[in-house]
Amino acid sequence: MRVVALAGGIGGAKLAHGLALAAVTASPPHELTVVVNTADDLELHGLHVSPDLDTVMYTLAGVADRERGWGLAQETWQASEMLAAYGAETWFRLGDRDLATHLVRSERLGRGERLTVVTAALASALGVGTRLLPMSDQPVRTKVGTDAGWFDFQEWFVRRGQRDEVRELRIEGLADARPTPEVLAAVRSADAIVLAPSNPFLSIGPILGLPGMADAVREAGAPVVAVSPIVGGTALKGPADRMLRSLGGEASAAGIARHYAQRHPGILDGLVIDDADAAQASDIEALGLRLLVTGTVMRDDADRERLARETLEFAVGLRPR
Amino acid sequence: MRVVALAGGIGGAKLAHGLALAAVTASPPHELTVVVNTADDLELHGLHVSPDLDTVMYTLAGVADRERGWGLAQETWQASEMLAAYGAETWFRLGDRDLATHLVRSERLGRGERLTVVTAALASALGVGTRLLPMSDQPVRTKVGTDAGWFDFQEWFVRRGQRDEVRELRIEGLADARPTPEVLAAVRSADAIVLAPSNPFLSIGPILGLPGMADAVREAGAPVVAVSPIVGGTALKGPADRMLRSLGGEASAAGIARHYAQRHPGILDGLVIDDADAAQASDIEALGLRLLVTGTVMRDDADRERLARETLEFAVGLRPR
């Protein structure tokens, strides 16, 4: 079975890891492709940093720091301290080991290689068996509109600690960017498409917003299911709950269902929600969505793999190819 | 008194440090400018690395690693290990703290700033009071011709461990490069000019070889003295002794005197040689050079300052302005 997951940062990385674990134990093994958001990318100290790609890559490689939630395990911060001594901005902290990733990526991009090719080389060097694809090779950058003005996404997210209510989002470059041929080919041949429990505005939104991408997903003929990033009214990680409220929605599993129904009509066949949100089942089914109610909080690898397996079984049961 | 030193790597850094110590204790304090070779610069992982500038800067800032002889004290190598995991070349080792220097430099050069300006900012951030000037803002690169072929300087020096006899040197870009306005102004207003005990081919040669530079030194009217990098027939550090022999000279204090007399005629007024080489005095004086014979091996800060002080007194005594 060919599985395609669309993912952002931490929640996406966890489910991608679960799908990778489920893929290798399936018989025959699934072919897993993870398409990752790049709208959170940024330039720092002249380097190209891809936070979501790195979070997914490090997680799949088993070298992510599990407590911090981002970056590499056994990380040190010597370069960052020295950058501070030079008066350079260090609000986006780059670990010493992590720097190597950005150096290799930036040098190869500077030589004209595509982010897709560079990402594959980095992931392969770290022993990642899963196919990891940036959503696009062209620059796409999320801008956040608040009462304090417009900010680059990471500036709002990290530097300002998400303290400003988000009034508006602008995904710059989206109209001029395209999904890569690799992404389109993977989607078109997919047997199941999973939208990871990532932020629907910041992570899944930019991917589905790429010209031609939503149509490709709709026309793939594969079942498409999302895993809700909202459990019991709050986001397990990140600002999805606050953004659902401030951008005119509702921070709930049903709010996620409505978000996808309104912004990406006809994309979803089913939604995976947490046991804690079982009471919202009829609201969600009223939107024409099929439902899987299960434990969606991924505390350990076993949780990740179980949720991934259940999600795939649910998807295939909806609309077998 | 305005003092200008021309310097390369480790030997140059030590004497520059001695001159800086002597400068601040003089009354009134000397104004010290150190002009540093950039022909050893290289591009690594997309970063601009200036080994000689960094060695001098770290030494003057008191943050150099004294045992290793290059790079920063309390250095770690996490990024380098990760670069190796990615299959990147790591024969030129970049420490984690050191990386910050290259990141800041490269980013600012990438924005179109001059190396002169960036170097001043880096040195100032590290608390260096001495004026540190790259010899040129234009790229100059030493190439080494051997029986095994031509190599970039650092490739021969570090990667191949200087194992190939040097048959020929080519300083690429030299004819098209210029000393900076800051370098020329410092030389023209100097009261004493000191050629540090750096490699005469690799460090001092490129500086004096810049179009207009040798004339500026000759026409400055200031006494010009060199400190011999050869003591007892060997170079204290680096390949100067082997290069003197393989490029048609002699690895001795007198060989240094002849080298400057032949390659840079009329530049030197005097030479500082080690007590161990006192027997060569008459040979050197026969070339028209005045001599200071003293201890030139700099084992500690006191050695550095004493040699610097003696060298300056020697210079001023030769041709007071």
Side-chain angles (χ1 to χ4, degrees), chain B residues 25 49 60 63 70 90 96 107 145 151 169 177 192 233 238 253 267 269 271 276-277 295 297 310 319-320:
Chain B
T25 50
V49 180
L60 291 176
V63 296
W70 54 272
T90 52
D96 298 323
E107 189 192 15
F151 299 103
L169 285 176
I267 289 275
D269 298 303
L271 185 65
D277 300 316
V297 182
E310 290 179 11
R319 201 203 300 187

Side-chain angles (χ1 to χ4, degrees), chain A residues 74 76 78-79 86 96 101, chain B residues 74 76 78-79 86 96-97 101:
Chain A
Q74 277 118 46
T76 53
Q78 293 254 82
Y86 284 128
D96 298 323
T101 306
Chain B
Q74 275 118 46
T76 53
Q78 292 253 84
Y86 284 127
D96 298 323
R97 286 157 56 77
T101 306

Side-chain angles (χ1 to χ4, degrees), chain B:
Chain B
M1 180 162 75
R2 280 159 297 192
V3 177
V4 171
L6 312 189
I10 297 174
K14 285 183 177 180
L15 188 66
H17 185 212
L19 289 166
L21 293 170
V24 293
T25 50
S27 177
H30 303 324
E31 285 174 35
L32 173 62
T33 300
V34 183
V35 177
V36 181
N37 171 47
T38 55
D40 298 355
D41 287 14
L42 68 162
E43 296 278 325
L44 270 179
H45 315 297
L47 301 179
H48 182 110
V49 180
S50 296
D52 282 1
L53 272 174
D54 290 345
T55 296
V56 176
M57 179 172 76
Y58 294 157
T59 300
L60 291 176
V63 296
D65 188 292
R66 290 195 173 218
E67 282 176 38
R68 204 187 312 118
W70 54 272
L72 285 158
Q74 275 118 46
E75 189 56 284
T76 53
W77 310 94
Q78 292 253 84
S80 185
E81 280 171 29
M82 194 77 181
L83 283 168
Y86 284 127
E89 292 186 343
T90 52
W91 52 266
F92 193 100
R93 290 187 83 199
L94 297 178
D96 298 323
R97 286 157 56 77
D98 191 38
L99 261 176
T101 306
H102 313 313
L103 283 169
V104 173
R105 176 189 293 123
S106 304
E107 189 192 15
R108 295 185 64 164
L109 290 176
R111 289 205 301 255
E113 292 190 56
R114 295 193 299 138
L115 183 59
T116 298
V117 172
V118 178
T119 300
L122 291 170
S124 164
L126 294 186
V128 173
T130 297
R131 192 142 180 252
L132 201 61
L133 296 177
M135 65 182 202
S136 178
D137 288 321
Q138 285 113 12
V140 176
R141 296 291 181 270
T142 297
K143 309 283 173 178
V144 178
T146 74
D147 292 342
W150 282 91
F151 299 103
D152 292 344
F153 171 69
Q154 298 292 354
E155 209 184 339
W156 169 79
F157 188 66
V158 177
R159 189 180 208 171
R160 297 181 65 86
Q162 315 164 33
R163 66 173 175 264
D164 322 276
E165 198 91 320
V166 178
R167 304 292 178 197
E168 204 180 335
L169 285 176
R170 214 157 53 200
I171 318 287
E172 283 189 4
L174 199 62
D176 295 322
R178 292 292 177 274
T180 65
E182 290 84 352
V183 166
L184 289 175
V187 165
R188 284 171 183 150
S189 70
D191 298 304
I193 298 175
V194 178
L195 312 195
S198 299
N199 190 305
F201 299 98
L202 300 171
S203 300
I204 307 298
I207 304 177
L208 289 177
L210 285 165
M213 184 66 180
D215 284 345
V217 171
R218 271 187 288 257
E219 292 158 12
V224 181
V225 299
V227 178
S228 170
I230 302 287
V231 173
T234 60
L236 293 174
K237 201 87 196 176
D241 46 4
R242 289 172 56 204
M243 291 181 71
L244 276 163
R245 281 192 297 268
S246 72
L247 294 173
E250 185 194 308
S252 67
I256 289 290
R258 269 189 289 274
H259 172 89
Y260 279 117
Q262 287 163 11
R263 305 253 186 151
H264 309 285
I267 289 275
L268 276 193
D269 298 303
L271 185 65
V272 181
I273 67 170
D274 194 77
D275 294 316
D277 300 316
Q280 299 172 45
S282 55
D283 280 3
I284 295 168
E285 284 167 332
L287 295 166
L289 289 181
R290 304 286 289 280
L291 258 193
L292 170 66
V293 184
T294 185
T296 64
V297 182
M298 295 174 276
R299 288 181 190 82
D300 53 27
D301 287 4
D303 282 345
R304 295 177 183 182
E305 185 172 353
R306 178 196 46 74
L307 177 59
R309 210 183 292 276
E310 290 179 11
T311 299
L312 289 180
E313 281 164 15
F314 169 57
V316 172
L318 288 182
R319 201 203 300 187
R321 278 197 114 175

Side-chain angles (χ1 to χ4, degrees), chain A residues 110-129:
Chain A
R111 288 205 302 256
E113 291 190 57
R114 295 193 299 138
L115 183 59
T116 297
V117 173
V118 179
T119 300
L122 291 170
S124 163
L126 295 186
V128 173

